[in-house]
């Protein structure tokens, strides 16, 4: 992937937390933060959790950040510096930078996905879907899911029913079934009520683990500045924001990449040049 990268040193966080979350527990890295008598006062209401997530979504509906990305998989590893812009629900732009400027850009306007590789003087383009996003970023997410995760927000993922809530070692674990099978388990830090970790499983097993941390206030809203991913195939990514701006004005033009006559145009279709995912 040219734009999105590697686990921190030491034991992978998901090996500690994912199995615990799926078993309705938390690892020792999520230490108790409040006294037992405060827990006895009762859990938050499920409606209040809906309201909390809706408030964060609204507060981060227009988002820009400067980040460092580290990626590692069995096949490759790399680091990059990126400027990321998101406008809810599915507008995304990622510019990979180096000391000489921008080397690679990928943008979704909600309908078309484009990527400009300056080294190759090529522009890749195609409809916005999970396959094409995987080809151009390395992560097989639908655009609204990627737009949420880049902002440090847990995505919706089509869960239904209110689910159940349980206290485990400093966190409230909210577990909901997914359409088509599997579960969506979201951990909230009990002291701050910030979303702390997300585990998603399907009928065949784990699909995604994300940890949200390093929360800092941005114009009065607490925002995660560190997002760690664990994905099938032993893929690990860590996105660390140095600076985040929220409630910024992002025009439609920010999420398009204009084609120059000098560029090679490569359609993201099966069988076309570059269509197997050069990214």
């Amino acid at each position: 992937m040219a734009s999105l990268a590697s686990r921190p040193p030491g034991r992978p966080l998901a090996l500690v937390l994912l199995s615990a979350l799926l078993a309705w527990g938390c690892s020792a890295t999520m230490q108790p933060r409040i006294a037992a008598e405060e827990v006895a006062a009762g859990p938050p209401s499920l409606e209040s959790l809906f309201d909390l997530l809706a408030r964060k979504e609204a507060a981060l509906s227009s988002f820009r950040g400067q980040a460092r990305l580290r990626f590692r998989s069995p096949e490759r590893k790399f680091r990059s510096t990126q400027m990321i812009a998101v406008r809810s629900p599915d507008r995304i732009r990622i510019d990979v930078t180096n000391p000489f400027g921008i080397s690679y850009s990928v943008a979704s306007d909600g309908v078309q996905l484009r990527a400009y590789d300056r080294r190759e003087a090529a522009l890749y383009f195609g409809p916005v879907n999970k396959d094409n996003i995987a080809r151009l970023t390395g992560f097989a997410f639908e655009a609204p899911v990627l737009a949420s995760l880049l902002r440090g927000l847990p995505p919706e993922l089509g869960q239904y029913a209110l689910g159940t809530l349980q206290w485990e070692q400093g966190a409230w674990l909210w577990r909901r079934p997914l359409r088509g099978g599997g579960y969506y388990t979201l951990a909230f830090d009990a002291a701050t009520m910030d979303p702390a970790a997300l585990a998603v499983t399907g009928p065949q097993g784990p699909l995604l683990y994300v940890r949200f941390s390093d929360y800092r206030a941005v114009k009065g809203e607490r925002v995660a500045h560190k997002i760690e991913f664990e994905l099938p195939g032993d893929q690990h990514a860590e996105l660390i924001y140095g600076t985040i701006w929220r409630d910024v004005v992002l025009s439609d033009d920010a999420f398009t990449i204009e084609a120059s006559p000098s560029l090679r145009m490569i359609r993201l279709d099966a069988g076309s040049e570059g269509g197997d995912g050069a990214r």
Side-chain angles (χ1 to χ4, degrees), residues 2 4 15 44 47 52-53 73 80 88 97 105 108 110 112 122 131 136 144 146 161 175 186 188 221 225 243 245 277:
L4 279 172
L15 296 182
E47 290 78 6
L52 181 151
L53 293 176
S73 74
S80 66
S88 182
T97 64
S105 300
S108 163
Q112 188 172 79
D131 290 340
L136 297 181
L146 182 58
R175 189 174 191 242
L186 182 58
F188 293 85
E221 182 66 38
H225 282 61
T243 306
W245 299 268

Side-chain angles (χ1 to χ4, degrees), residues 84-101:
I84 296 172
V86 178
R87 195 176 76 195
S88 182
D90 55 8
R91 269 57 171 178
I92 299 164
R93 184 180 183 114
I94 301 170
D95 292 302
V96 179
T97 64
N98 58 40
F100 305 102

Side-chain angles (χ1 to χ4, degrees), residues 5 52 61 66 71 75 105 124 157 191 212 225 252 264 271-272 275:
L52 181 151
S61 62
Q66 184 177 30
F71 177 86
E75 293 78 28
S105 300
Y124 296 81
L157 295 186
F212 309 102
H225 282 61
D252 290 344
R264 288 187 302 132
S272 66

Side-chain angles (χ1 to χ4, degrees), residues 224-240:
H225 282 61
K226 184 175 182 180
I227 306 154
E228 297 164 86
F229 303 84
E230 302 282 346
L231 297 159
D234 197 26
Q235 297 183 81
H236 311 273
E238 183 179 85
L239 186 65
I240 301 174

Side-chain angles (χ1 to χ4, degrees), residues 106-143:
V106 59
S108 163
D109 63 4
V111 176
Q112 188 172 79
L113 189 68
R114 289 189 168 197
Y116 176 20
D117 190 323
R118 289 162 177 78
R119 294 166 301 180
E120 298 179 4
L123 190 141
Y124 296 81
F125 68 98
V128 178
N129 56 47
K130 184 167 65 174
D131 290 340
N132 283 341
I133 289 173
R135 289 167 177 168
L136 297 181
T137 72
F139 285 103
F141 295 136
E142 298 290 353

Side-chain angles (χ1 to χ4, degrees), residues 161-186:
L162 286 178
T164 56
L165 192 65
Q166 182 168 331
W167 163 260
E168 289 287 349
Q169 297 186 23
W172 291 106
L173 299 184
W174 187 7
R175 189 174 191 242
R176 291 172 280 177
L178 292 169
R179 293 186 179 91
Y183 286 91
Y184 177 105
T185 303
L186 182 58

